[in-house]
Amino acid sequence: MVKSASSSQSPTPVTITVTPCKGSGDRSRGLTSPIPRASVNSPNPRRSSLNRRSSYEGRYCSMSVEDLTPETVLSYTVHIPPTPDHQTVFASQESEEGNQNRSFLSGTIFTGGFKSVTRGHVIDCGMDLGGDEKKSGEICWLKGCDEKVVHGRCECGFKICKDCYFDCITNGGGKCPGCKELYKDVNDDDDTEEEDEEEDEAKPLPKLDKRLSVVKSFKAQNQTGDFDHSNWLFETKGTYGYGNAVWPKDGYGIGSGGYEQPPEFGERSKRPLTRKVSVSAAIISPYRLLIAIRLVALGLFLTWRIRHPNREAMWLWGMSITCELWFALSWLLDQLPKLCPVNRITDLDVLKERFESPNLRNPKGRSDLPGIDVFVSTADPEKEPPLVTANTILSILAVDYPVEKLACYLSDDGGALLSFEALAQTASFASTWVPFCRKHSIEPRNPEAYFGQKRNFLKNKVRLDFVRERRRVKREYDEFKVRINSLPEAIRRRSDAYNVHEELRAKKKQMEMMMGSNNPEETVKIQKATWMSDGSHWPGTWSSGETDNSRGDHAGIIQAMLAPPNAEPVYGSEADAENLIDTTEVDIRLPMLVYVSREKRPGYDHNKKAGAMNALVRTSAIMSNGPFILNLDCDHYIYNSMALREGMCFMLDRGGDRICYVQFPQRFEGIDPNDRYANHNTVFFDVSMRALDGLQGPMYVGTGCIFRRTALYGFSPPRTTEHHGWLGRRKVKLSLRKPNATVKKDDEISLPMNGEFNNEEDNDDGDIESLLLPKRFGNSNSFVASIPVAEYQGRLLQDLQGKGKNSRPAGSLAVPREPLDAATVAEAISVISCFYEDKTEWGKRVGWIYGSVTEDVVTGYRMHNRGWRSIYCVTKRDAFRGTAPINLTDRLHQVLRWATGSVEIFFSRNNAIFATRRMKFLQKVAYFNVGMYPFTSLFLIVYCILPAVSLFSGQFIVQSLDITFLIFLLAITLTLCMLSLLEIKWSGITLHEWWRNEQFWVIGGTSAHPAAVLQGLLKVIAGVDISFTLTSKSSTPEDGDDEFADLYIVKWSFLMVPPLTIMMVNMIAIAVGLARTLYSPFPQWSKLVGGVFFSFWVLCHLYPFAKGLMGRRGKVPTIVFVWSGLLSIIVSLLWVYINPPSGKQDYMQFQFP
C-alpha cells in the first residue's frame, strides 16, 4: 500500500506502508533490504530498526482493508540493496542508536540521466544537520548532504563535498554556495546571455559515477501550481552522459577547457585482420561419418572378396583383389587429409587503419606496410609470348599497394633481347596505364583482359572524363601491341644492318692493311651479333648462337627499367599533347622495375627454374630487400588489385610470424566451356587445398604465392610444435629463439636477430652462427647484412606480439627507401654469377630446393618440415588468373612433368616418411600421397584391362554375382556418391567439374602417370636425367580467330598409346562377349553383364580422350565410324570361330587352307 504526505507543500519522498500477514505477529520486514533505514516521514525511526530481518526471506499474504489497523502499518523508504559495485555503509547507523537525524543522501542511489534534478530534490527533502556536525568540518555544509568534504575548493572556506561541487559547477553557474563567487576553476568570460542559454541545454556528466538513481514519483493530488511533477517526470533536463551510444558535442571535460573528442569505441586497429570460418557442422559431420562408413564397407567388402575366391579363374581373382586393395589404400590416403576443411576471411579496412593511418610515431600517415618483391619468370619468348609477359608486368605495376614498398623483377632465363626490349616498351606504356587504373579504379589491371571484357565497362563509373580517357588509352594500348609484335622483325633488321656495316668496316680496314704488303687477301669473318637500339652488342643470347652469347653461355645482366620512387606522392598535370589523361589528382609514381638474366656458362648445373628464382632472391635482397616475396609465372597476372593486401593480412595478423607463405588458388582463362581435360583443376584447388588449410597449410604450387623471405632463407619459425605419441596426439611446444632453445635439427638454421640474446654464452653461439653465414649464403657481405634487416621488417607490431619481443614498433617502416647507386647494382650482378652458389647451401637448405622437376612441392615441404605453417587465401574476386594448355598433348605433357616430380620425391629424402615431428600426422599423409599417387597408374591400367579379359575368357572376378557382392558394391558406390555430393557442398565446385576430374584421373592414370613412373625408375636406377619440356603459353587470339583452336589440334605422342589400346580392347571385348553369349547353348548372362558394366565404366572415363583424337567436331568422316563398327564385328566373329563356346557343334564348313 502506498500513501503520501498530506500536509506538506514541499515535495516529499514516496512512502510505502507494509502490513504483516495474519499470525505473523511482530515479524514485519522491509520490502527490499534486510537492513533497516530511517524514513523521513516515519515518526519513530527506531521502530523500523527493531523490525529488521537477517535474510532476504519473505512471504506472500492476502489481507482485506478491514484488517488494517494503525498498529500494523509501518512506513519505509524504498531503496536498492547494496551490490558489489556499490557498497553502502550502514553499520554506523546500526551502532549509533542516538544519531537519528542523520541524512539519507549518502545512502540514496541515483540511476539514470536526471541527476541534476533528483539530487537537488533529495537535498530539499533532507533534514537539517546539527550545529556540532556542521562545525566539525568533516561533512558537507549543504542542506541534506552528509558526504565527506573535499578541501581547497574555495578561498572562503565553505565546506563542500565532491558531488555537490560538481552540481554547483554544472547547475549553479559555477558559484560557491557560501560566498556566491565563481570557483577558481571556472572562467567568467562568458556573457550572461550565453549562460542563460546554456542553462536550458543538457550538461554532460563530469564523471562516471557508480551510483544509480531512483526517480521519485508523486500523486496528482499532491502537486502544486509552482511545479508540475507530472511533466517533470517525462522531461529530460539532464544528460545521457557519455558513451558509445551518445557522445556530447562539447566533450566531457570540466574546468579550464578540458574537453576531449570522443574515442573510437569500435577501433579497427584492435580488431583481428583475419578470421577463420569452419565448415558448417550440418555438412562436415555427415561427411566425416560417411568416410567412416565407407571405410568399414571397404573393409567388409575386401574381407568377403578374399574369403570367396573364384576357383575357376584364380589368376583373374588375384589380379582384381590386388588392384582393389591398392585402390582402397589410395582412397584412404587421399581422404584422410580432408577431415578438417576451413575457410578464411580478411578485413582490409582494419589493415588500412592499422598500417596507413597517422599516429604519434607516424604523424604524416605514411604507409607502415612491409615491402614486397614480385618475381616474374620467363625462359623462352617463342613459347612464352612477350605480350603475355608484358600484360602480367603491367598488372603488377598497377596493383593497389604502396608504390614505394613494391618492386618487380623479371627473370629472363633465356637472356633474349626480345624480352629485354619488350620490358622497356612495357615500362614506357606503364606511365599511361597505371595512372589510368588508379584514377578510375580499373579491374582487372591487365590491359588485354580489361579491354577484352564483354561486360558493360561503364558500370559503376561516374567520372565524366572516363569514356574519353578510356578511348585514348585503348588506342595507345593498340599501338603498344603493334610495337611489341614488331620487335622480332625490328631486332632482326637492326642486327643485319649493323652486321653488314661492321663487315664493310672490317673489309675496308683489311684492304688498308694490305696496301703495303704482298700477302694474299684473306676472307673476313664477322660474328653475326645481336644489336641493341643504341648500337652496342647485346650481352645476352644472340640469334646466331656464338660463343659467350648462346642460350647456355652468356653473361649476367641487370637493368633497372624504373628507378625506386620517391617517398612522397607525385601528382601529374592536365591532359595535353604528351599526357593522354588528366593526372592532377593521381599519384603518377611507378614501382621499381628490374630486368634480370643470370649468368650461364658451360659445365655448370643451372637448375632450371629453381636456380633462376634463387638468383632473383639474392638480387632483390641487395636492391630492395622486401621482407616478403610474391612469385608469378609470366602468364599469371593479378586479377584482383587488392590481392597483395589480402595476403598481407595473414602475414601481419597475430600469429603471422609463424606463417612461411600464403598460397592463392590458381584460376585459368581461355578454357573451353566444357573443360574437356579438367584444366581448371577445381577439385585440387577448392577441395584438397582447403582441407590442407585446416591442418598445417596448403602445398606450394609454383605460382601465386607470397613468401616470407626469412623462411626461404631456411630459418626456423620463432615458435613451433612437435607431435609425439600415437598419431601425434601429444603436443610439445617449442620456442626456437630463446636462450634455452632445444638442440637444432640437422636441417635447421636458427639465427639470433638484432641483439635478441644478451648473455655471453648466447653471444658466443650467435658469433658462431654468424661465421657460418658465408658458407650457407655465399661470400656477399651486402647479402648477409640484408638478412637481419629483412627479418626485422617482417616482424609483427608490438601490440600484437604482446611483450614486445621479436616485434617492431609502429611506424618503423614509414621511412624512405635508400636510392640505388652503382655499387649496389655491381654487387647485385656479382650474386647472379654462375659460380656464386658453389660450396653454399643454396638449393639444399636455402631458397628453392634443387633436385626435382617439381621444385615447388619440395620447397613447401621443407618449410613445413621445419615447423612453419602456410595459409590458403581464397578471395571473393579471383586474386590471379592465368592460362592453361587446352590441347590434349600439351596437357598430358604437363601432367607427365608433375607426376615425374612426384616420383622423384618418393625416392628421395623428401619423402614424408622421413618427416620430422614438427609436421602434423595428417600433413605427412598428404605429402606421402603426393609422392605415391603416380604408382596407382600401374594398378589402374591392369584394372581397366580386366573387364576385357573377363569378356574374352568368359570368366569374371567373382565366381557368380552373389547378393552379398552386389550389396557391398552398392554400398561402396552410394557412399562414394554421397561423399562427392558433400564435397561439392562445402567446397563450392559443381558436379560437372567433379566428373571431369574423375575422367581425367583415368586418362592421366593410363597415359602420363605410367610414363612418369618409368622415367623416375630410370633416374633412380640408371641415373638417366629427365628432360624438362617448357609448357607453351597460348597467345591472345586475334579478332575472328577461334579462341579454342588448340583444343582440336591433334599432336601425336607416345603417351596416347596406352589409353587408345585400352579403349580398342574394351570395345572389341564387348562385341566378343555379346557374340559368345548369344551363340552359347548355356549363356551366362550374369558374367556378361558384369564384364560389360565394367568395360562401359572404362569407356565413359576415356570419352574425353576419344573426342580429343577426333579433332574438330564434324571433321571426322562418317565412314571412319562405319569401318570401326565393321572391324569390331569381324574380329568378334573370328574370335567366336577360333574359340567356340563349349558344347556347340560345328556349323561352318569353312576351313583355312
Side-chain angles (χ1 to χ4, degrees):
M1 179 180 295
V2 181
K3 74 175 183 177
S4 58
S6 60
S7 61
S8 177
Q9 296 182 356
S10 61
T12 58
V14 177
T15 304
I16 308 297
T17 61
V18 182
T19 59
C21 300
K22 289 183 178 182
S24 61
D26 197 28
R27 292 174 59 101
S28 58
R29 300 290 184 263
L31 286 180
T32 59
S33 174
I35 300 176
R37 186 137 183 107
S39 174
V40 178
N41 296 340
S42 177
N44 189 6
R46 175 61 182 161
R47 183 176 180 180
S48 60
S49 66
L50 294 175
N51 292 331
R52 60 187 176 92
R53 58 188 300 180
S54 60
S55 67
Y56 287 94
E57 299 175 358
R59 296 181 182 180
Y60 292 97
C61 62
S62 62
M63 296 183 66
S64 63
V65 180
E66 292 79 5
D67 295 333
L68 296 176
T69 61
E71 289 79 14
T72 60
V73 177
L74 296 178
S75 178
Y76 289 91
T77 299
V78 178
H79 68 282
I80 296 177
T83 63
D85 292 335
H86 182 82
Q87 296 291 340
T88 312
V89 181
F90 298 115
S92 60
Q93 298 180 7
E94 299 179 9
S95 59
E96 299 177 4
E97 299 181 358
N99 188 11
Q100 302 298 332
N101 296 325
R102 187 72 178 269
S103 173
F104 60 93
L105 180 61
S106 61
T108 303
I109 305 175
F110 298 91
T111 62
F114 308 101
K115 179 178 178 180
S116 58
V117 176
T118 57
R119 182 178 177 84
H121 184 210
V122 175
I123 291 177
D124 292 339
C125 298
M127 300 175 61
D128 293 336
L129 297 175
D132 297 337
E133 293 178 352
K134 288 271 189 180
K135 295 179 182 179
S136 65
E138 297 298 330
I139 59 177
C140 180
W141 286 6
L142 286 181
K143 180 182 178 181
C145 181
D146 59 351
E147 295 286 350
K148 291 184 179 180
V149 171
V150 179
H151 299 279
R153 293 299 182 183
C154 185
E155 296 179 356
C156 69
F158 187 84
K159 307 299 183 181
I160 191 170
C161 66
K162 185 176 182 181
D163 291 339
C164 292
Y165 169 74
F166 283 123
D167 286 342
C168 294
I169 292 294
T170 55
N171 298 328
K175 296 182 180 180
C176 174
C179 62
K180 306 300 181 182
E181 297 292 335
L182 289 175
Y183 282 107
K184 61 183 179 179
D185 294 335
V186 180
N187 297 327
D188 55 353
D189 298 336
D190 298 337
D191 297 335
T192 306
E193 296 180 358
E194 296 179 357
E195 294 178 359
D196 294 338
E197 293 176 359
E198 291 178 356
E199 288 179 358
D200 296 334
E201 296 178 358
K203 303 295 182 180
L205 291 176
K207 55 179 281 189
L208 283 178
D209 285 5
K210 292 184 179 180
R211 299 184 176 186
L212 305 174
S213 69
V214 174
V215 180
K216 310 284 184 176
S217 61
F218 302 88
K219 289 186 175 291
Q221 59 265 25
N222 293 331
Q223 297 177 0
T224 63
D226 297 335
F227 186 79
D228 189 354
H229 295 282
S230 298
N231 293 335
W232 168 80
L233 184 62
F234 302 104
E235 291 180 357
T236 301
K237 282 199 172 250
T239 176
Y240 287 110
Y242 51 92
N244 64 333
V246 176
W247 189 269
K249 296 182 180 180
D250 295 334
Y252 63 90
I254 297 301
S256 56
Y259 297 105
E260 296 184 11
Q261 295 297 325
E264 182 64 34
F265 291 103
E267 189 176 358
R268 294 181 182 272
S269 61
K270 303 299 182 182
R271 294 167 55 186
L273 293 171
T274 61
R275 185 162 54 94
K276 182 169 68 173
V277 181
S278 301
V279 179
S280 173
I283 298 176
I284 195 63
S285 297
Y287 180 76
R288 294 169 179 168
L289 179 61
L290 279 174
I291 293 176
I293 293 175
R294 191 168 194 270
L295 185 60
V296 173
L298 279 174
L300 296 176
F301 171 74
L302 294 174
T303 303
W304 184 89
R305 289 277 284 117
I306 294 173
R307 291 183 176 181
H308 296 79
N310 186 359
R311 304 295 181 182
E312 299 177 359
M314 291 295 293
W315 57 275
L316 187 61
W317 171 83
M319 288 192 297
S320 63
I321 195 63
T322 302
C323 295
E324 289 165 1
L325 287 171
W326 183 270
F327 292 154
L329 175 62
S330 177
W331 174 84
L332 184 62
L333 293 178
D334 181 68
Q335 204 66 43
L336 283 179
K338 297 180 182 178
L339 293 175
C340 306
V342 296
N343 298 313
R344 300 184 186 273
I345 300 175
T346 60
D347 195 335
L348 297 180
D349 294 334
V350 177
L351 182 74
K352 186 175 181 62
E353 178 78 18
R354 185 177 299 173
F355 292 94
E356 296 182 316
S357 298
N359 51 51
L360 295 178
R361 293 180 175 270
N362 184 18
K364 292 186 177 182
R366 291 177 176 174
S367 177
D368 197 27
L369 289 171
I372 299 180
D373 295 337
V374 185
F375 296 169
V376 181
S377 58
T378 182
D380 189 351
E382 295 181 359
K383 292 185 178 181
E384 299 169 334
L387 186 60
V388 175
T389 306
N391 277 277
T392 301
I393 297 296
L394 289 171
S395 68
I396 295 171
L397 298 180
V399 72
D400 190 350
Y401 201 78
V403 182
E404 67 275 10
K405 302 299 181 71
L406 193 66
C408 180
Y409 296 83
L410 175 65
S411 171
D412 179 19
D413 218 28
L417 179 60
L418 177 58
S419 301
F420 180 85
E421 295 204 354
L423 188 64
Q425 294 285 349
T426 303
S428 177
F429 177 70
S431 61
T432 300
W433 172 250
V434 174
F436 173 71
C437 293
R438 293 173 181 166
K439 181 178 181 179
H440 298 289
S441 301
I442 299 300
E443 292 288 350
R445 301 192 175 181
N446 176 329
E448 186 66 35
Y450 172 71
F451 291 121
Q453 292 180 119
K454 297 180 180 179
R455 65 178 181 85
N456 182 17
F457 63 86
L458 296 177
K459 186 178 180 180
N460 299 328
K461 296 296 183 290
V462 296
R463 297 185 67 100
L464 299 179
D465 56 352
F466 170 69
V467 176
R468 180 177 65 255
E469 293 182 352
R470 183 184 185 277
R471 189 183 304 114
R472 293 177 178 176
V473 175
K474 176 66 168 60
R475 181 176 180 178
E476 183 68 18
Y477 176 65
D478 291 338
E479 295 178 358
F480 167 74
K481 290 169 62 178
V482 172
R483 292 194 297 270
I484 294 293
N485 294 332
S486 63
L487 278 177
E489 183 65 17
I491 293 174
R492 186 187 63 80
R493 290 185 177 183
R494 181 203 310 151
S495 299
D496 291 344
Y498 276 112
N499 289 331
V500 170
H501 180 69
E502 287 294 314
E503 187 176 354
L504 292 177
R505 288 181 56 186
K507 287 184 178 181
K508 182 179 179 180
K509 185 176 181 180
Q510 185 183 20
M511 292 178 62
E512 291 178 353
M513 294 177 62
M514 293 176 59
M515 291 293 293
S517 63
N518 297 327
N519 296 333
E521 183 177 355
E522 297 179 357
T523 303
V524 179
K525 294 183 179 180
I526 301 297
Q527 290 182 339
K528 300 295 182 180
T530 299
W531 295 78
M532 302 174 66
S533 58
D534 62 348
S536 59
H537 281 180
W538 169 242
T541 301
W542 292 355
S543 57
S544 60
E546 302 288 343
T547 305
D548 294 338
N549 293 100
S550 60
R551 290 186 58 86
D553 185 11
H554 61 81
I557 307 169
I558 292 181
Q559 188 75 21
M561 299 290 185
L562 295 173
N566 297 325
E568 299 295 335
V570 178
Y571 298 97
S573 58
E574 297 181 355
D576 51 24
E578 297 182 357
N579 302 314
L580 298 179
I581 62 176
D582 183 5
T583 57
T584 54
E585 301 177 358
V586 182
D587 187 4
I588 62 173
R589 293 178 299 164
L590 298 177
M592 183 171 69
L593 178 62
V594 182
Y595 172 89
V596 180
S597 180
R598 57 178 173 150
E599 182 185 10
K600 286 187 175 182
R601 298 299 180 191
Y604 289 91
D605 187 2
H606 303 293
N607 298 296
K608 304 180 179 66
K609 180 182 176 180
M613 299 304 294
N614 286 338
L616 285 183
V617 172
R618 297 190 295 271
T619 301
S620 61
I622 294 175
M623 299 185 70
S624 55
N625 199 27
F628 298 98
I629 295 172
L630 167 66
N631 87 289
L632 296 172
D633 288 342
C634 65
D635 62 327
H636 270 73
Y637 68 91
I638 298 179
Y639 186 75
N640 182 358
S641 62
M642 308 295 290
L644 271 64
R645 291 178 177 269
E646 299 236 18
M648 295 309 296
C649 286
F650 296 100
M651 290 292 192
L652 302 178
D653 201 7
R654 188 179 303 275
D657 54 348
R658 295 183 56 191
I659 298 175
C660 55
Y661 62 82
V662 176
Q663 177 66 60
F664 293 84
Q666 292 187 22
R667 307 300 185 196
F668 303 100
E669 294 178 335
I671 308 298
D672 59 297
N674 290 324
D675 194 14
R676 180 184 295 176
Y677 306 124
N679 289 102
H680 285 299
N681 210 2
T682 52
V683 173
F684 174 75
F685 287 113
D686 291 332
V687 178
S688 300
M689 296 288 274
R690 285 178 189 265
L692 289 176
D693 196 18
L695 303 177
Q696 200 169 339
M699 304 174 187
Y700 169 46
V701 295
T703 183
C705 185
I706 298 179
F707 283 96
R708 184 179 298 275
R709 185 180 286 270
T710 52
L712 274 175
Y713 288 164
F715 292 109
S716 299
R719 303 174 307 281
T720 187
T721 303
E722 287 190 353
H723 304 272
H724 298 263
W726 178 248
L727 301 181
R729 297 178 64 88
R730 186 167 60 88
K731 299 179 181 180
V732 178
K733 294 185 178 181
L734 302 177
S735 181
L736 303 180
R737 293 188 184 176
K738 286 185 177 180
N740 56 352
T742 57
V743 180
K744 295 186 287 293
K745 305 292 183 182
D746 198 24
D747 186 39
E748 176 178 288
I749 306 175
S750 182
L751 179 67
M753 296 293 179
N754 293 348
E756 188 175 299
F757 301 159
N758 296 322
N759 57 47
E760 295 181 0
E761 182 180 356
D762 295 326
N763 286 334
D764 294 340
D765 295 339
D767 293 339
I768 296 175
E769 293 286 348
S770 300
L771 293 175
L772 294 176
L773 290 180
K775 179 181 178 181
R776 289 170 175 164
F777 300 104
N779 55 6
S780 174
N781 295 329
S782 298
F783 177 81
V784 173
S786 70
I787 295 176
V789 177
E791 189 274 339
Y792 176 79
Q793 293 180 352
R795 292 182 176 183
L796 304 181
L797 295 181
Q798 286 181 351
D799 56 345
L800 294 180
Q801 189 67 19
K803 299 180 180 179
K805 195 172 185 179
N806 296 328
S807 59
R808 65 176 180 88
S812 58
L813 301 184
V815 293
R817 177 184 294 177
E818 296 182 0
L820 287 178
D821 52 14
T824 302
V825 176
E827 184 69 18
I829 294 175
S830 67
V831 298
I832 62 172
S833 61
C834 58
F835 55 83
Y836 182 84
E837 296 182 354
D838 291 347
K839 298 181 181 180
T840 65
E841 295 185 356
W842 284 98
K844 301 175 184 176
R845 299 179 183 176
V846 180
W848 270 260
I849 306 302
Y850 302 153
S852 175
V853 176
T854 53
E855 73 287 334
D856 45 6
V857 178
V858 177
T859 302
Y861 166 80
R862 288 292 187 89
M863 294 182 184
H864 285 144
N865 203 31
R866 286 192 288 267
W868 291 95
R869 68 154 300 137
S870 58
I871 294 294
Y872 196 55
C873 180
V874 182
T875 57
K876 186 176 181 180
R877 177 185 175 89
D878 294 343
F880 309 98
R881 282 193 178 181
T883 60
I886 61 176
N887 182 264
L888 176 59
T889 305
D890 294 339
R891 174 70 165 143
L892 290 179
H893 280 96
Q894 183 185 54
V895 175
L896 172 63
R897 185 174 72 250
W898 296 344
T900 304
S902 296
V903 176
E904 292 175 341
I905 293 173
F906 185 82
F907 289 109
S908 67
R909 58 172 297 191
N910 298 313
N911 193 318
I913 294 178
F914 309 109
T916 64
R917 291 178 176 176
R918 296 181 186 177
M919 186 180 294
K920 293 184 177 180
F921 172 75
L922 292 181
Q923 191 81 12
K924 294 179 182 179
V925 172
Y927 273 113
F928 180 75
N929 189 43
V930 168
M932 201 194 69
Y933 81 90
F935 297 95
T936 305
S937 61
L938 303 178
F939 301 90
L940 182 61
I941 289 179
V942 174
Y943 210 71
C944 288
I945 295 178
L946 281 181
V949 175
S950 175
L951 290 172
F952 281 131
S953 63
Q955 301 295 332
F956 194 51
I957 58 177
V958 292
Q959 193 163 2
S960 63
L961 291 180
D962 189 83
I963 186 62
T964 307
F965 172 78
L966 295 177
I967 291 176
F968 280 133
L969 189 63
L970 180 63
I972 292 172
T973 305
L974 287 179
T975 52
L976 177 62
C977 294
M978 295 175 68
L979 279 174
S980 303
L981 291 176
L982 289 177
E983 280 186 2
I984 291 171
K985 187 69 175 177
W986 63 255
S987 64
I989 65 175
T990 62
L991 183 61
H992 178 267
E993 292 171 336
W994 177 86
W995 172 239
R996 287 301 189 204
N997 181 80
E998 292 295 311
Q999 287 180 315
F1000 197 79
W1001 175 74
V1002 176
I1003 295 173
T1006 56
S1007 58
H1009 295 175
V1013 173
L1014 180 61
Q1015 287 186 357
L1017 291 175
L1018 289 176
K1019 181 179 180 180
V1020 173
I1021 298 174
V1024 179
D1025 195 11
I1026 301 173
S1027 60
F1028 175 76
T1029 303
L1030 183 65
T1031 304
S1032 299
K1033 308 298 188 298
S1034 58
S1035 58
T1036 304
E1038 300 295 335
D1039 295 338
D1041 294 345
D1042 190 354
E1043 184 180 1
F1044 309 116
D1046 290 343
L1047 182 67
Y1048 310 109
I1049 298 176
V1050 180
K1051 304 175 184 177
W1052 180 255
S1053 173
F1054 74 94
L1055 298 177
M1056 299 179 179
V1057 174
L1060 185 60
T1061 304
I1062 292 174
M1063 287 179 57
M1064 294 182 63
V1065 169
N1066 277 275
M1067 291 174 63
I1068 295 174
I1070 292 175
V1072 169
L1074 184 62
R1076 175 189 296 276
T1077 305
L1078 291 175
Y1079 284 107
S1080 175
F1082 307 104
Q1084 297 181 357
W1085 292 101
S1086 61
K1087 294 183 178 180
L1088 175 67
V1089 171
V1092 170
F1093 174 79
F1094 284 105
S1095 293
F1096 183 73
W1097 176 87
V1098 173
L1099 294 176
C1100 285
H1101 282 77
L1102 294 176
Y1103 174 71
F1105 177 81
K1107 288 191 67 175
L1109 293 180
M1110 294 178 185
R1112 188 179 297 274
R1113 181 181 301 174
K1115 295 295 183 180
V1116 179
T1118 307
I1119 192 63
V1120 174
F1121 299 101
V1122 176
W1123 287 348
S1124 300
L1126 290 175
L1127 182 62
S1128 299
I1129 294 174
I1130 293 172
V1131 171
S1132 62
L1133 292 176
L1134 288 175
W1135 182 270
V1136 172
Y1137 178 78
I1138 296 171
N1139 187 18
S1142 58
K1144 187 70 176 176
Q1145 300 295 328
D1146 294 336
Y1147 58 91
M1148 288 187 180
Q1149 300 300 326
F1150 176 79
Q1151 294 181 357
F1152 288 100

